[in-house]
Amino acid sequence: MKTLLCLFLLPIQAFAVQIATFRADVTPPVGAPLCGGLVKPALGVSEPLLALGVVLLSDEKPVVLCAVDFCEIRGADHMHWREVLAKAAGTSPERVALHSLHQHNAPLVDNAAQKLLPEIGIIDAAATEKALAGVAASIEAALKTPQNVTHISTGEAKVLEVAGNRRVQVIDGKVGKMRGSGSKDPVLRALPEGLIDPMLKTISFWNGDKKLAALHYYATHPMSYYGDGIVSHDFAGIAREKRTQEDGVPHIYFTGCGGNIGAGKYNDGTPPMRPLLAGRIHAAMVESEKEAKRVPLTKIAWRHVPVVLQPDPEFPEERMLKVLQNTETRPATRISAALRIGFIRHREPIPFTSLHLGDDVCLLHLPGESFVEYQLFAQQQRAGGFVCTASYGDGVTGYIPLEHSFIEGGYEPSQAYAAPESEKLMKQTISDLLKEQP
């Protein structure tokens, strides 16, 4: 499929760029569904859920980068959120990069799935709409006091003993038992890390010697444990908030391509592990800024590619409707069918975007639970550059594995809604978004 590349180049002087940072509480009320009804509803709150982000202002329309402590925002709801945030920022929806961190003790926003299963709690629509209004209001307030950006800095550091590939046990070409976000199985935990991206990457915005905000990127499922009904921004959020308190400026965390990555090699899923994992992420955040290289910000560019991924023909809508309508089937299976039907029926293009800062820094924004291989592929497209990848944009796709992953089997391909050949289109689009311009 041929994609349409919409390229906006903004050659500007550093002093013409401004930044506004925003922060909003999006914690769901007690009783609200979490993870789309796949876990216990909210019984209490361990830490508040937040929507954090920046608005970059220049001679062109503003760019919004927003990270939300939600499990997912999907399909028509992702479009709606981008439209509301764009209006608040005075820009257009295709210039809004909206990403969930993917914690599971957090809301999944999908009104279309709820309408298919009205008898099952998937979303608290009123609560999520209130949360969205709060994020929009925080953007409007932030834009009253933007600050000049003269420089950016980049740095990275290795995260020790957090991420591990979930698909490391392969027997006769097939994936066997898998470790998830937590695992008590000593055999699975003894298996190698497998393919990961061990580096946490950080980009900071500066006005002279004054730091204004920092963005962090790391690829793993961000859960230590979940399913107990206690709302939490988990270890990634804990590390992020500690850096914000220490530094006095906003720190914003984006989950990278963690579709096949989790903490199960190093995490037994017990409560004491949450602060330990948070400490390891925090240590990498601190280290990444120690080695940061600061350079003037002389230009920015925004690129947008609208993409339509085709549904997996192995799961036709008619069969999924039968699963959904079978009240004898367990609720989790019916919810999964509703989410897949949502993708089949959602034929609007999914936004793939990138923000280019200067000549070497690229921020890539992908949908769904993309496999880590896409993040590593993106880095290969700009050898010598600094590429940060945020996944978990529009969650309507579910997992986005590689084509051969469907042959290997395992959990992720069973929850991947797009066809196996989507890998080719994914990689072509990534290349289009990251290629150097003459």
Side-chain angles (χ1 to χ4, degrees):
M1 172 183 176
K2 185 176 181 181
T3 61
L4 172 64
L5 177 61
C6 304
L7 174 61
F8 302 87
L9 293 176
L10 320 176
I12 54 181
Q13 298 299 316
F15 57 79
V17 182
Q18 292 185 308
I19 190 171
T21 62
F22 60 91
R23 177 184 180 97
D25 191 319
V26 294
T27 308
V30 170
L34 302 178
C35 198
L38 296 173
V39 301
K40 286 182 182 179
L43 302 176
V45 178
S46 175
E47 307 92 26
L49 304 187
L50 301 171
L52 303 165
V54 301
V55 183
L56 291 173
L57 306 165
S58 67
D59 292 340
E60 295 292 331
K61 290 182 179 179
V63 168
V64 180
L65 310 179
C66 181
V68 188
D69 287 329
F70 275 9
C71 181
E72 290 177 359
I73 304 173
R74 304 166 61 97
D77 289 287
H78 194 267
M79 294 173 61
H80 172 55
W81 275 59
R82 287 188 292 111
E83 288 168 353
V84 171
L85 300 188
K87 182 178 180 181
T91 190
S92 52
E94 69 271 9
R95 297 175 74 84
V96 176
L98 173 66
H99 294 263
S100 301
L101 268 66
H102 197 60
Q103 302 97 329
H104 280 19
N105 275 5
L108 181 150
V109 186
D110 193 328
N111 279 286
Q114 182 66 83
K115 290 176 182 177
L116 288 169
L117 284 174
E119 70 274 23
I120 296 177
I122 294 175
I123 177 177
D124 183 330
T128 54
E129 198 64 23
K130 180 180 178 181
L132 173 58
V135 182
S138 71
I139 290 176
E140 292 173 353
L143 287 172
K144 295 177 182 178
T145 55
Q147 300 183 75
N148 293 333
V149 177
T150 61
H151 294 74
I152 57 172
S153 67
T154 58
E156 61 182 359
K158 186 174 183 180
V159 179
L160 300 177
E161 296 190 347
V162 174
N165 199 290
R166 307 197 306 189
R167 301 169 59 83
V168 290
Q169 190 183 77
V170 180
I171 302 170
D172 296 329
K174 298 292 182 180
V175 171
K177 290 183 178 180
M178 296 174 60
R179 58 193 181 206
S181 293
S183 176
K184 290 182 170 60
D185 187 333
V187 175
L188 291 178
R189 294 186 68 188
L191 292 172
E193 271 187 346
L195 181 67
I196 65 170
D197 184 347
M199 307 306 290
L200 180 144
K201 296 193 171 189
T202 300
I203 175 167
S204 298
F205 296 87
W206 297 75
N207 183 2
D209 294 330
K210 180 184 178 182
K211 185 162 69 170
L212 306 175
L215 313 182
H216 304 282
Y217 298 78
Y218 180 62
T220 188
H221 270 69
M223 291 92 67
S224 52
Y225 60 93
Y226 62 92
D228 58 358
I230 305 302
V231 172
S232 172
H233 57 218
D234 219 295
F235 63 82
I238 292 171
R240 173 195 70 200
E241 292 307 293
K242 184 176 181 180
R243 283 299 291 133
T244 296
Q245 293 166 7
E246 292 169 341
D247 215 18
V249 302
H251 284 252
I252 302 161
Y253 179 94
F254 291 89
T255 301
C257 294
N260 52 343
I261 308 296
K265 175 171 174 57
Y266 301 107
N267 173 38
D268 63 7
T270 58
M273 286 303 302
R274 180 172 288 171
L276 290 179
L277 294 168
R280 294 166 189 172
I281 296 291
H282 173 267
M285 288 178 170
V286 172
E287 190 66 25
S288 71
E289 293 199 81
K290 282 183 181 178
E291 303 299 325
K293 301 175 182 178
R294 186 147 46 116
V295 298
L297 178 59
T298 57
K299 60 182 179 180
I300 67 174
W302 179 259
R303 301 178 190 174
H304 166 233
V305 179
V307 174
V308 175
L309 297 174
Q310 298 302 316
D312 188 344
E314 292 296 315
F315 297 90
E317 181 177 351
E318 294 77 10
R319 179 154 61 89
M320 292 298 98
L321 282 169
K322 290 180 180 179
V323 174
L324 178 143
Q325 294 163 357
N326 184 359
T327 57
E328 301 299 317
T329 302
R330 64 191 186 100
T333 301
R334 299 177 69 202
I335 292 170
S336 295
L339 296 176
R340 185 181 291 276
I341 291 169
F343 172 75
I344 293 171
R345 292 180 175 178
H346 181 76
R347 305 316 302 149
E348 295 295 326
I350 296 169
F352 288 59
T353 63
S354 62
L355 175 64
H356 299 248
L357 302 169
D359 293 322
D360 299 321
V361 178
C362 308
L363 309 183
L364 176 66
H365 311 113
L366 300 179
E369 299 199 57
S370 300
F371 271 27
V372 73
E373 284 87 345
Y374 293 112
Q375 179 166 314
L376 299 174
F377 174 81
Q379 293 168 14
Q380 294 168 1
Q381 306 313 296
R382 293 294 290 264
F386 192 82
V387 179
C388 302
T389 303
S391 195
Y392 298 93
D394 189 340
V396 75
T397 63
Y399 287 94
I400 310 181
L402 305 179
E403 188 164 358
H404 71 79
S405 306
F406 292 83
I407 299 172
E408 292 178 334
Y411 174 72
E412 297 93 349
S414 74
Q415 300 299 312
Y417 307 150
E421 57 267 24
S422 297
E423 177 186 350
K424 298 182 181 67
L425 182 53
M426 288 279 294
K427 289 184 173 178
Q428 182 59 56
T429 303
I430 291 169
S431 295
D432 289 343
L433 287 168
L434 296 181
K435 65 186 177 184
E436 296 188 51
Q437 297 297 314

